Amino acid sequence: MSAGERHGARPHDHARHVGGEDECEHGHAHRHEDGPQPTVYALRTDIGVAAGLTDDALGEALSAFVRALVAGLERHGCRLIGHVKGAFVPPASGALYAGPGAAAGRGGFAFNVTSFKGGVALRGAWPGGVTAQLTVNAIVYGVAVDVVESETLDALAELRARISSPEAPE
């Protein structure tokens, strides 16, 4: 007995409405998945920054953070990266990303990666200060949100160990 027959309606062609939620001929909605669904994750946290870190050192630490996150996701079966992107900006800026100020060189850093094989795109410069706001946004496929969170927090611990000063807030 088909699903349609079980609830009193005639069988129908599910293929005509694959990919979304549509009302069927027999009056109720079906949700038809159209492939892998994305896992979406976001994190915003303050992080201490040791005085005297150069832009190069801070940029390399941020790139290492993103590479560690992406490598961890791949180890756990992530099949595709929509994007992993974010910003490392002074908290007083209120910025969600390192925009025109970063492009001009003094608003913080913006980072982005869209594949396992590609490098981390990083732009900007650090304007100074002992605290930064780190924002991470990820859209990935093939892993659960708890895996993304765990790998992000592991990579964050490594980043903090590389750049934080003892007197800076965690």
Side-chain angles (χ1 to χ4, degrees):
M1 180 181 293
S2 76
E5 292 168 326
R6 270 196 303 272
H7 55 70
R10 68 187 184 286
H12 62 279
D13 180 10
H14 284 278
R16 70 177 179 76
H17 53 86
V18 170
E21 189 168 306
D22 294 311
E23 188 165 311
C24 297
E25 297 168 21
H26 48 270
H28 68 271
H30 286 268
R31 177 76 185 153
H32 298 279
E33 301 305 328
D34 191 34
Q37 296 301 299
T39 298
V40 178
Y41 177 78
L43 170 80
R44 181 176 299 153
T45 188
D46 287 345
I47 184 169
V49 181
L53 276 179
T54 65
D55 284 346
D56 287 343
L58 195 49
E60 176 49 40
L62 288 168
S63 291
F65 161 76
V66 178
R67 287 191 308 268
L69 170 55
V70 168
L73 293 174
E74 188 173 29
R75 275 192 313 275
H76 284 283
C78 182
R79 294 186 306 269
L80 176 68
I81 298 172
H83 70 246
V84 174
K85 66 181 179 177
F88 187 88
V89 297
S93 74
L96 298 179
Y97 65 96
R106 301 309 310 166
F109 286 96
F111 55 85
N112 182 47
V113 66
T114 57
S115 73
F116 296 110
K117 303 295 183 221
V120 177
L122 180 73
R123 70 176 193 276
W126 184 239
V130 296
T131 305
Q133 185 176 77
L134 174 68
T135 302
V136 179
N137 294 296
I139 300 176
V140 296
Y141 296 80
V143 290
V145 71
D146 61 323
V147 170
V148 181
E149 180 174 51
S150 175
E151 290 302 318
T152 302
L153 296 177
D154 287 351
L156 177 59
E158 292 175 25
L159 176 63
R160 282 192 162 122
R162 287 183 76 161
I163 68 168
S164 291
S165 66
E167 63 274 359
E170 289 295 321

